[in-house]
Amino acid sequence: MRHLDETVARAALARWGGDPSTLRHVATSGNAVYRFREGATPRILRLTDPEHRTAEQNHAEMEFLLHLRACGVRANAPVPSASGKRVERLEGCSACVLSWAPGVRVEPASEHWNEGFFKEWGRSLGRIHSAARSYRGPSRWEWTDEGLLAHARRLIPADDAIARVELEDVLARLLALPRRADNYGMNHADFAPQNFNYDPAAGITGFDFGNCCAHWFVSDLVISLSTLRRQSERERYRAWLLAGYREAMAIDDEIWVERSWFLRLRVLYVYLSRLAKFGSNPTAEQRATLDMLRGLVAERLTWE
């Protein structure tokens, strides 16, 4: 991603007519993300290496966002370029611009870390899933085709027999589950506080749908709940989040009873993400992280 520097960002920004003097780098992970202003309006510019996501996959994401908003879901909106495109192709990358999500990021020390926030978190995720049931736009990948899982057998070290067995066990179990329009569809795939902003008066606005894909809705719910694993009040927080979710979307009991398997999939996914990120020669600190995650994989976590 190093080639997606500010020079490339400025070239992309010209397609939208934003003010280049306001361009600021925010982060680089799967995408290179910048913020800028169009007049007085804040925007997000996102640059994507085609090896990470193709322009067609990004277009499908933009279509899903438009569908969510048409269904009344609060999510950041694609902003068309001057030529009317939601995704622009540049040499070496594709680019899109998204509206700024109002509100603030809520963390455990925040005054908003309370019942109202957790119920809104659940409601917002439930609204995404409810709207996803009627989405008929361009498809993204099936969850098993996502890069980390598609290449999992190559990423897991040959001597890590426990992770290899766990991968096969989890895949076999989940692939046997029924898929229906009411329990399977487009997921956000990481709906946690780092990927939405909260306004107590207006609610939550979701963003960073870059991993959205076809999956069981319970998987998305488990991913959100898994972020609370280290919180001392996690049982109460989870109860609030689930109560909010059920206000917007019913939970399929047949799939919900399998939630420990989805938790195990999430642990595997995080382990795979670090294996891919750290490469074949990790530092001592990175090796410690891998050892910790490998231990969680071996633990075969169950729902508490």
Side-chain angles (χ1 to χ4, degrees), residues 35-53:
R35 61 186 297 179
F36 70 95
R37 287 189 174 274
E38 184 180 346
T41 305
R43 304 285 195 208
I44 287 291
L45 168 68
R46 198 182 74 187
L47 307 177
T48 307
D49 187 320
E51 292 186 4
H52 175 63
R53 301 280 187 255

Side-chain angles (χ1 to χ4, degrees), residues 8 101 111 122 126 145 185 202 218-219 222 252 279 299:
V8 180
E111 63 179 319
D145 295 328
V218 163
S219 173
V222 166
D252 185 328
E299 192 175 339

Side-chain angles (χ1 to χ4, degrees), residues 86-255:
R86 298 188 183 96
V87 179
E88 287 275 3
R89 298 173 187 262
L90 291 88
E91 185 176 354
C93 73
S94 64
C96 60
V97 167
L98 298 145
S99 62
W100 186 265
V104 297
R105 176 172 171 173
V106 179
E107 297 180 328
S110 168
E111 63 179 319
H112 302 308
W113 192 261
N114 54 33
E115 181 176 0
F117 165 70
F118 280 98
K119 286 186 173 180
E120 177 60 14
W121 180 353
R123 274 191 298 270
S124 297
L125 185 58
R127 289 172 185 143
I128 290 171
H129 294 164
S130 180
R133 293 179 300 178
S134 60
Y135 178 65
R136 300 294 182 269
S139 62
R140 298 268 279 184
W141 53 86
E142 294 289 322
W143 62 279
T144 48
D145 295 328
E146 200 276 338
L148 292 173
L149 286 173
H151 300 114
R153 294 174 181 87
R154 175 178 59 81
L155 287 169
I156 297 173
D159 61 353
D160 191 351
I162 290 176
R164 288 181 171 275
V165 169
E166 177 71 350
L167 173 68
E168 301 305 328
D169 287 350
V170 169
L171 289 177
R173 181 75 174 197
L174 295 184
L175 288 171
L177 297 179
R179 303 183 186 189
R180 301 187 305 271
D182 64 333
N183 69 17
Y184 190 94
M186 288 285 278
N187 277 220
H188 179 284
D190 196 11
F191 200 68
Q194 72 272 18
N195 289 327
F196 58 71
N197 283 341
Y198 176 64
D199 180 335
I204 279 173
T205 301
F207 55 85
D208 196 0
F209 283 74
N211 288 332
C212 64
C213 64
H215 212 320
W216 286 275
F217 298 134
V218 163
S219 173
D220 223 1
L221 188 52
V222 166
I223 288 170
S224 287
L225 292 168
S226 72
T227 65
L228 302 172
R229 188 171 60 87
R230 293 188 175 91
Q231 298 294 324
S232 60
E233 299 283 340
R234 59 183 176 273
E235 291 184 10
R236 182 167 56 158
Y237 298 156
R238 289 171 178 174
W240 289 339
L241 196 155
L242 287 170
Y245 184 92
R246 288 188 171 102
E247 291 178 18
M249 178 76 176
I251 299 176
D252 185 328
D253 291 337
E254 183 180 7
I255 308 300

Side-chain angles (χ1 to χ4, degrees), residues 1-14 16 18-38 41-49 76 90 93-101 207:
M1 298 294 292
R2 286 178 295 177
H3 68 286
L4 300 183
D5 59 14
E6 190 168 324
T7 301
V8 180
R10 287 178 179 274
L13 188 60
W16 275 266
D19 181 354
S21 69
T22 65
L23 190 68
R24 300 289 184 273
H25 180 254
V26 175
T28 296
S29 181
N31 305 287
V33 181
Y34 294 80
R35 61 186 297 179
F36 70 95
R37 287 189 174 274
E38 184 180 346
T41 305
R43 304 285 195 208
I44 287 291
L45 168 68
R46 198 182 74 187
L47 307 177
T48 307
D49 187 320
N76 59 353
L90 291 88
C93 73
S94 64
C96 60
V97 167
L98 298 145
S99 62
W100 186 265
F207 55 85

